[in-house]
């Protein structure tokens, strides 16, 4: 296997132009001093090229970057591309086409697909299917250390956000499920594999849900029933999908980079 990290940039570029997927993946790290675009935009360009050649780690990383791009005029297109990449990885996982060191990526793809379906941003919303995918991915992670924590945390987060109720206010039952998952996540935290700050996030989110459930139970006792809520989730979602100036700048940078590299034969 070629040692791309020790190659000169000209040699990596030569191999990348020949369509070498590993060289294309390496190019994300070869950020030129005179580049006119942010490093993340530069990396995304090469990850997209490597993903097109079938590089699974590039697919996973590029899909994540597409999701994290601030809301822009290309928002829906970005989310759809990310979903297609995750679906492709998940299909390879289900068909046992992934190598042993790639299978965790397949499981992560399932959880990301589930989250996207629950959120419904850039795709048709299907919370029921989304939660099933997340649970399916979590059950596959039973023996994978740090990834186990990630899935338990994500499930707790989804229930706390009310996705079992299609994005509306979560019920007392949903909050209890969120608490159970978050408590399990804290217990499964792996300091060797998980980001340290995630343990704090988990504990904070867990504390918030416990306070919410106490408030809901007190309200239920006072009213004799659970409070009803306005169906305002759709309006909140529309507001979140409005393009931002930062998102438009990212779109502009991405287009500028493509045009510059196209003139050089990429």
């Amino acid at each position: 296997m070629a040692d791309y990290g020790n190659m000169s940039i000209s040699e990596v570029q030569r191999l990348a132009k020949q369509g070498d997927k590993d060289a294309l993946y390496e190019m994300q790290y070869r950020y030129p001093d005179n580049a006119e675009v942010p490093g993340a935009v530069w990396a995304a360009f090469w990850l997209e090229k490597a993903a097109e050649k079938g590089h699974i780690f590039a697919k996973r990383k590029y899909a994540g970057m597409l999701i994290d791009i601030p809301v822009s005029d290309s928002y829906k297109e970005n989310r759809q591309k990310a979903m297609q990449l995750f679906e492709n990885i998940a299909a390879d996982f289900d068909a046992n086409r992934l190598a042993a060191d790639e299978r965790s990526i397949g499981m992560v793809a399932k959880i990301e697909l589930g989250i996207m379906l629950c959120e419904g941003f850039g795709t048709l919303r299907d919370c029921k299917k989304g939660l099933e995918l997340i649970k399916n991915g979590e059950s596959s992670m039973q023996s994978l250390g740090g990834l186990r924590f990630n899935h338990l945390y994500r499930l707790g987060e989804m229930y706390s956000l009310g996705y079992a109720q299609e994005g509306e206010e979560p019920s007392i039952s949903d909050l209890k499920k969120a608490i159970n998952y978050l408590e399990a996540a804290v217990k499964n935290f792996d300091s060797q594999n998980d980001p340290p700050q995630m343990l704090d996030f988990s504990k904070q989110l867990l504390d918030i849900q416990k306070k919410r459930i106490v408030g809901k139970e007190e309200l239920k006792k006072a009213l004799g029933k659970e409070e009803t809520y306005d169906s305002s989730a759709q309006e909140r979602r529309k507001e979140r999908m409005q393009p931002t100036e930062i998102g438009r700048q990212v779109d502009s940078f991405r287009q500028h980079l493509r045009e510059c590299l196209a003139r050089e034969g990429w």
Side-chain angles (χ1 to χ4, degrees):
M1 183 177 292
D3 186 0
Y4 297 91
N6 288 323
M7 288 183 183
S8 66
I9 188 169
S10 60
E11 180 64 9
V12 175
Q13 285 179 331
R14 183 183 68 79
L15 292 171
K17 278 199 171 184
Q18 292 174 0
D20 185 311
K21 65 181 182 181
D22 292 314
L24 287 166
Y25 188 75
E26 173 66 22
M27 282 296 294
Q28 68 176 299
Y29 304 115
R30 304 303 181 102
Y31 184 69
D33 294 334
N34 61 346
E36 300 176 359
V37 298
V41 175
W42 174 267
F45 176 87
W46 298 109
L47 286 169
E48 180 180 19
K49 294 290 186 184
E52 289 171 354
K53 292 292 183 179
H55 196 293
I56 187 167
F57 293 100
K59 289 180 185 179
R60 165 69 184 92
K61 194 170 182 179
Y62 181 53
M65 293 183 82
L66 286 170
I67 290 174
D68 291 338
I69 289 175
V71 181
S72 67
D73 294 326
S74 302
Y75 180 71
K76 186 174 182 179
E77 179 186 347
N78 292 337
R79 302 282 294 194
Q80 288 173 338
K81 284 182 180 178
M83 193 158 195
Q84 288 169 1
L85 287 165
F86 285 133
E87 287 174 338
N88 181 269
I89 296 171
D92 284 342
F93 173 80
D94 290 336
N96 293 315
R97 290 192 290 263
L98 300 182
D101 64 338
E102 297 173 342
R103 289 188 61 77
S104 62
I105 300 296
M107 297 174 196
V108 169
K110 285 192 172 185
I111 187 94
E112 295 293 351
L113 277 173
I115 292 170
M116 292 184 77
L117 286 169
C118 284
E119 291 178 337
F121 296 130
T123 183
L124 292 176
R125 187 174 214 179
D126 190 339
C127 290
K128 182 178 179 181
K129 183 178 178 181
L131 285 171
E132 286 176 356
L133 276 169
I134 297 170
K135 289 178 181 178
N136 179 270
E138 191 277 325
S139 64
S140 301
M141 289 290 194
Q142 297 293 330
S143 61
L144 292 181
L147 292 173
R148 167 88 169 138
F149 160 81
N150 180 58
H151 281 68
L152 289 166
Y153 173 81
R154 287 297 197 178
L155 278 166
E157 184 181 42
M158 293 299 100
Y159 276 100
S160 72
L161 290 170
Y163 287 134
Q165 306 295 331
E166 297 297 317
E168 296 295 343
E169 185 70 20
S171 65
I172 290 178
S173 175
D174 293 334
L175 289 178
K176 287 181 177 178
K177 289 179 181 178
I179 288 170
N180 288 337
Y181 281 120
L182 290 167
E183 286 179 337
V186 171
K187 289 179 181 178
N188 281 270
F189 181 81
D190 183 349
S191 59
Q192 298 299 313
N193 296 303
D194 298 317
Q197 67 270 24
M198 288 306 297
L199 180 59
D200 292 333
F201 289 157
S202 299
K203 289 179 178 178
Q204 290 170 11
L205 188 59
L206 178 59
D207 186 55
I208 290 170
Q209 305 324 308
K210 287 179 177 178
K211 290 178 180 177
R212 288 174 76 190
I213 203 168
V214 168
K216 279 179 173 287
E217 287 176 336
E218 289 178 349
L219 185 62
K220 184 177 181 180
K221 184 177 180 180
L223 297 177
K225 62 179 181 178
E226 289 198 46
E227 185 180 4
T228 56
Y229 294 85
D230 294 331
S231 181
S232 57
Q234 292 295 324
E235 290 303 315
R236 293 196 300 273
R237 290 175 68 244
K238 285 180 182 178
E239 290 178 5
R240 285 181 62 186
M241 292 179 70
Q242 294 304 310
T244 63
E245 183 58 34
I246 294 176
R248 289 196 174 100
Q249 287 178 8
V250 171
D251 277 350
S252 177
F253 279 130
R254 291 168 75 195
Q255 183 58 33
H256 176 65
L257 177 59
R258 289 194 184 100
E259 292 171 354
C260 290
L261 290 171
R263 287 196 292 269
E264 296 178 15
W266 290 97

